[in-house]
Amino acid sequence: METLKEKYKDYFLIGAAVNASTIRTHGELIKDHFNSITCENEMKFSNLCPREKEYQFEKADTIVQFAKDNELKMRMHTLVWHNQTPEWVFLDTTKEGLEERLSNHIHMLGKRYGKDCYSVDVVNEAIEDKLDGFLRESSWLQGLGNDYIERAFLLAKQEMPEAKLFYNDYNETNPIKRDKIFKLIKELKEKGIPVDGIGMQCHINIYHSSMDELKEAIEKYLSLGVSIEITEMDVSMFRHEDRSEILKPTIEQYKAQARVYKECFQIFREYKNDITSVTLWGVSDDVSWLNHFPVNNRRNWPLLFDEMMKPKEAFYEIMNF
Ligand code: G3I
């Protein structure tokens, strides 16, 4: 059977989010089909440094070694985020103290993994979702002021000069959010801040029908002279606000999912010169974050491989055109 990475070798890298356990339990599937990986959690601030000055690199190291042993490329996720950052970072400190903590963190990551990663999500999800806000009121913003984003990019450039530096966000094709992301990156570029790309997370669902918006967002971001990576794709069986549960998807739901994957991949392929990688947020349906969110232990089936790690209709759909 042809694999995903073979099929897409002339288009872009095909990635998966992995974690310390899936590289063991799903290692063969990862090696067969993917040529890029992202740590789902293991390179986040709270996982690496739950207490000040106590870095625990073991899990991330194991994943980086797995990538090296199997010739997989790596994305780094993520340096600055409002979520999964330990509380100590923002406690008992001044603005200068917080700057130093940020700088130390980026230094530690750059030194250890900078050369192993082709791209880095320097800042994640900094835009406000509510209509009337621009930047999210995060502890980073409160502690460092509006220019914390540019500081992070400058530090990342200094510490990992060879990696491509990305701004990464979700709901990135929604025109209102898209325009805010565009404004942020435009302003950064105009100031000479080294932003190389925009990460489009692509957490969507089987009811997704706005392929025009996907194209428009890609076009708009590309007009800034950046590249694009699809960083966290999955296609949920549920609408965003739906909290109901199902035992198993219907044939129609699997078909709808396959259609959404195909239509998205059709567009990604059109932009193969600008899209470096397309990463799925997980390996197979049994290990998706959507089995825990927004309803804990509600099963979802958002990926290309099922709970038995077998290819689904969505897989065949993007392989056979
Ligand atoms: O590791 C602990 C474990 O010790 C504990 O027993 C268990 C109890 O709940 O929690 C475990 O930690 C969980 C962790 O995933 C590892 O499984 C956290 O509770 C849980 O919140 C965390 O969720 C992660 C989420 O980010 C946090 O916001 C998901 O795995 C991860 O897929 C998700 O990824 C994010 C991207 O980084 C950014 N974009 C959105 C995407 C989806 O939310």
Side-chain angles (χ1 to χ4, degrees):
M1 178 177 71
E2 193 182 19
T3 66
L4 275 174
K5 68 181 177 193
E6 287 163 0
K7 170 77 181 178
Y8 282 93
K9 70 178 183 332
D10 296 329
Y11 293 92
F12 29 70
L13 296 169
I14 296 283
V18 305
N19 55 53
S21 61
T22 54
I23 58 168
R24 280 184 277 109
T25 52
H26 297 61
E28 293 308 313
L29 184 63
I30 297 167
K31 288 188 269 180
D32 284 347
H33 285 279
F34 300 93
N35 45 18
S36 170
I37 56 173
T38 308
C39 291
E40 183 175 8
N41 289 298
E42 287 76 357
M43 284 193 191
K44 291 171 180 172
F45 210 142
S46 60
N47 296 57
L48 283 177
C49 194
R51 283 165 299 279
E52 188 163 17
K53 297 196 172 76
E54 280 183 36
Y55 273 86
Q56 42 190 45
F57 286 116
E58 295 78 7
K59 288 186 175 168
D61 281 356
T62 311
I63 295 173
V64 173
Q65 193 57 47
F66 174 81
K68 285 182 182 163
D69 291 345
N70 297 294
E71 293 175 25
L72 304 166
K73 299 195 172 192
M74 283 208 76
R75 302 194 77 253
M76 185 187 289
H77 176 81
T78 171
L79 296 174
V80 180
W81 191 22
H82 63 279
N83 204 349
Q84 284 178 294
T85 305
E87 274 185 16
W88 68 261
V89 174
F90 305 106
L91 291 178
D92 302 324
T93 191
T94 57
K95 186 175 181 203
E96 290 69 33
L98 182 57
E99 267 168 17
E100 197 181 329
R101 287 173 179 176
L102 174 66
S103 157
N104 286 342
H105 183 65
I106 296 180
H107 173 70
M108 293 297 275
L109 270 279
K111 193 168 74 165
R112 201 160 185 105
Y113 305 124
K115 288 203 169 63
D116 300 318
C117 298
Y118 65 95
S119 56
V120 178
D121 292 331
V122 178
V123 177
N124 197 38
E125 305 172 3
I127 293 289
E128 174 57 59
D129 284 305
K130 291 192 212 89
L131 288 182
D132 55 352
F134 178 49
L135 289 182
R136 185 190 292 274
E137 281 291 331
S138 70
S139 302
W140 289 113
L141 180 77
Q142 282 156 9
L144 292 178
N146 281 0
D147 63 353
Y148 82 93
I149 298 175
E150 54 191 82
R151 275 166 201 273
F153 275 96
L154 290 169
L155 287 164
K157 186 71 188 172
Q158 188 181 308
E159 301 294 341
M160 29 199 131
E162 289 155 37
K164 296 277 180 235
L165 306 182
F166 275 71
Y167 173 76
N168 190 43
D169 215 329
Y170 61 87
N171 285 349
E172 71 284 352
T173 63
N174 169 295
I176 295 168
K177 183 117 179 234
R178 175 199 71 200
D179 287 354
K180 289 197 245 183
I181 297 172
F182 177 84
K183 175 174 172 332
L184 172 69
I185 306 306
K186 183 164 185 286
E187 286 172 4
L188 292 172
K189 298 283 286 177
E190 281 167 359
K191 285 188 188 170
I193 304 299
V195 183
D196 297 305
I198 296 180
M200 301 177 65
Q201 293 189 5
C202 206
H203 291 294
I204 53 179
N205 62 52
I206 60 169
Y207 303 99
H208 192 86
S209 56
S210 31
M211 294 303 159
D212 290 346
E213 287 185 1
L214 173 60
K215 245 182 132 139
E216 281 158 21
I218 293 175
E219 290 283 343
K220 186 143 195 178
Y221 295 148
L222 288 178
S223 74
L224 292 164
V226 295
S227 65
I228 284 177
E229 291 181 6
I230 307 301
T231 53
E232 305 184 12
M233 184 173 191
D234 43 29
V235 181
S236 167
M237 286 292 175
F238 302 93
R239 287 182 205 279
H240 180 66
E241 61 286 356
D242 186 354
R243 299 291 183 270
S244 65
E245 298 193 26
I246 53 175
L247 282 177
K248 193 174 169 299
T250 61
I251 291 169
E252 288 69 33
Q253 285 170 315
Y254 280 123
K255 280 197 184 316
Q257 183 179 55
R259 173 193 61 78
V260 171
Y261 267 110
K262 181 178 178 179
E263 289 178 7
C264 287
F265 269 73
Q266 236 156 4
I267 293 174
F268 301 156
R269 280 160 60 154
E270 280 176 42
Y271 291 93
K272 66 173 183 167
N273 294 332
D274 305 293
I275 296 181
T276 320
S277 58
V278 175
T279 292
L280 282 297
W281 204 240
V283 185
S284 52
D285 286 344
D286 50 325
V287 287
S288 164
W289 72 290
L290 288 171
N291 294 327
H292 310 285
F293 182 88
V295 181
N296 197 25
N297 290 329
R298 176 182 74 174
R299 287 166 66 195
N300 202 323
W301 292 264
L303 295 165
L304 297 172
F305 297 93
D306 69 14
E307 297 104 314
M308 306 305 287
M309 300 189 229
K310 295 277 175 282
K312 292 161 61 181
E313 187 158 348
F315 169 88
Y316 292 112
E317 200 70 28
I318 65 166
M319 292 296 285
N320 296 330
F321 78 104

